[in-house]
Amino acid sequence: MQRKTLIIGACGQIGSELVRILRAQQGTDNIIATDIKASNREVVDSGIFEILDAKSREEIRSAIERHNIGTVYLMAALLSAKAEQYPEKAWRLNMSSLFNVLELAREGLINRIFWPSSIAVFGPTTPKVNTPQHTIMEPTTVYGITKQVGERWCDYYFSRYGVDIRSIRYPGIISWRTAPGGGTTDYAVEIFHEALEKGHYNCFLSEDTRLPMMFMDDAIKATLDIMNAPSEDVLIRSSYNLEGVSFSPGELVASIQEHLPEFTVEYNPDFRQAIADSWPNSIDDTPAREHWGWDHNFNLKDITAEMLTKLRQSSMI
Ligand code: AKB
């Protein structure tokens, strides 16, 4: 009998897209969506959904045993901006959830795990342009510390216990269906909503803050590509660098203004500026391209056109 897939953090920005695509690919009943709250109607109404606290190993164990789970996508986390406000909560959630799935895999209950890392693993001492896969990593944010430590544990559980864990360092993810929450790169989604709704945006990062970004479709493609890659092709078991595009708020505004010439922006950097300043401007993802064939499809122009079209078509705006 085919073992099923458990998605933890299924109502979030990336989790909800994974649920939709995996249900279509593998059959609705083979995907078990879980989250701490039933906060995404589409996820909850389109198949099996359960409330699950990722901090509880017993709740995860019970879901795995009841549903005959083989693969786990652990998408629950407190992101960078939220984690600065709630450091202890972020540490507890981000670390205990990872430890729970790693331990359950070590016990033999899980065959394969996906765990997202982030560009937040890098810090101010990291080379900023074309940041290499292997480089100085001294994160200065709570979120970055949890991801950096998490990467070390992933590598350890793979080397020591053979746990099949796969991970990528997501840049900022731009999507139109589900909004992100609590991140520093969230401006790049908010800006599209405000451009269409109000014609004006108050940006919390400065005009020239260049960050690595990616369209959701590319992020999902990367996630499924690494999960479907033969084990011998996944040579890095901490986490892979991944780049789609990189741009600044100023460049994104110019791209939106090609469609909406009246759109205006003001820049009022807040505490998130320091977080963004500690991260790379762009990423070198050669190992992901060479090892398991990663390639992105969407550049800034494509992302802008797709976001405006899809948001206009959806009932949201
Ligand atoms: C955040 O801004 O915290 C996230 C990330 C880059 O991991 N989007």
Side-chain angles (χ1 to χ4, degrees):
M1 195 170 60
Q2 188 193 339
R3 288 177 73 182
K4 298 182 181 178
T5 296
L6 177 69
I7 303 183
I8 301 173
C11 289
Q13 186 195 19
I14 306 175
S16 58
E17 296 277 341
L18 280 171
V19 169
R20 199 172 53 78
I21 297 203
L22 289 173
R23 278 181 177 157
Q25 284 182 357
Q26 295 179 16
T28 305
D29 293 346
N30 289 318
I31 306 302
I32 315 303
T34 67
D35 210 308
I36 189 87
K37 281 193 199 132
S39 57
N40 186 312
R41 277 277 44 100
E42 197 195 323
V43 168
V44 174
D45 293 344
S46 64
I48 303 164
F49 175 83
E50 291 181 5
I51 297 291
L52 181 147
D53 182 353
K55 298 190 297 310
S56 163
R57 191 171 307 171
E58 290 321 305
E59 286 185 28
I60 302 176
R61 183 194 301 279
S62 157
I64 287 171
E65 288 174 348
R66 280 183 292 110
H67 294 290
N68 186 29
I69 299 294
T71 301
V72 174
Y73 289 79
L74 174 56
M75 309 308 289
L78 229 60
L79 299 187
S80 57
K82 262 272 152 55
E84 289 306 297
Q85 288 161 333
Y86 305 102
E88 199 179 333
K89 188 173 169 191
W91 177 258
R92 255 196 253 120
L93 171 62
N94 296 5
M95 296 323 305
S96 63
S97 58
L98 176 60
F99 241 99
N100 287 340
V101 293
L102 287 172
E103 272 298 299
L104 292 168
R106 186 172 72 87
E107 284 181 34
L109 267 76
I110 304 168
N111 291 340
R112 188 167 292 178
I113 301 167
F114 178 80
W115 175 77
S117 186
S118 160
I119 53 165
V121 291
F122 301 114
T125 51
T126 302
K128 265 195 162 341
V129 177
N130 284 332
T131 301
Q133 172 72 40
H134 301 289
T135 185
I136 301 167
M137 295 162 90
E138 296 182 319
T140 48
T141 63
V142 174
Y143 175 63
I145 293 168
T146 66
K147 291 296 180 187
Q148 161 67 348
V149 174
E151 285 192 10
R152 295 292 91 228
W153 280 120
C154 292
D155 199 47
Y156 183 87
Y157 269 73
F158 172 73
S159 316
R160 178 97 199 263
Y161 306 117
V163 168
D164 185 359
I165 181 137
R166 298 160 183 228
S167 176
I168 50 191
R169 294 173 179 151
Y170 286 130
I173 308 293
I174 301 170
S175 62
W176 56 272
R177 274 198 189 83
T178 306
T184 302
T185 55
D186 294 10
Y187 91 86
V189 175
E190 281 174 18
I191 196 168
F192 286 100
H193 289 262
E194 302 276 296
L196 288 169
E197 282 169 18
K198 300 181 186 150
H200 182 74
Y201 181 58
N202 183 1
C203 187
F204 59 76
L205 295 183
S206 68
E207 186 172 3
D208 57 355
T209 308
R210 176 177 282 269
L211 289 170
M213 297 279 183
M214 182 174 288
F215 194 50
M216 178 62 85
D217 297 33
D218 277 336
I220 296 296
K221 178 163 114 57
T223 307
L224 300 183
D225 282 356
I226 194 172
M227 284 301 272
N228 293 327
S231 206
E232 59 273 20
D233 291 350
V234 186
L235 299 175
I236 294 173
R237 296 297 183 143
S238 50
S239 192
Y240 275 92
N241 272 10
L242 201 70
E243 166 117 324
V245 286
S246 75
F247 56 76
S248 64
E251 288 165 325
L252 178 55
V253 169
S255 181
I256 294 173
Q257 282 169 338
E258 283 180 26
H259 300 260
L260 302 168
E262 310 294 301
F263 175 50
T264 55
V265 178
E266 63 191 287
Y267 297 95
N268 290 304
D270 66 11
F271 72 100
R272 288 167 280 195
Q273 185 65 46
I275 302 176
D277 286 342
S278 76
W279 290 351
N281 295 155
S282 59
I283 299 284
D284 175 8
D285 58 5
T286 307
R289 290 178 191 263
E290 288 180 356
H291 296 176
W292 43 273
W294 159 244
D295 200 6
H296 71 281
N297 289 323
F298 290 81
N299 61 27
L300 176 55
K301 211 173 151 65
D302 304 325
I303 294 173
T304 306
E306 195 70 5
M307 284 296 287
L308 293 172
T309 308
K310 289 290 172 21
L311 284 176
R312 278 188 178 119
Q313 282 167 0
S314 72
S315 53
M316 280 186 263
I317 288 170

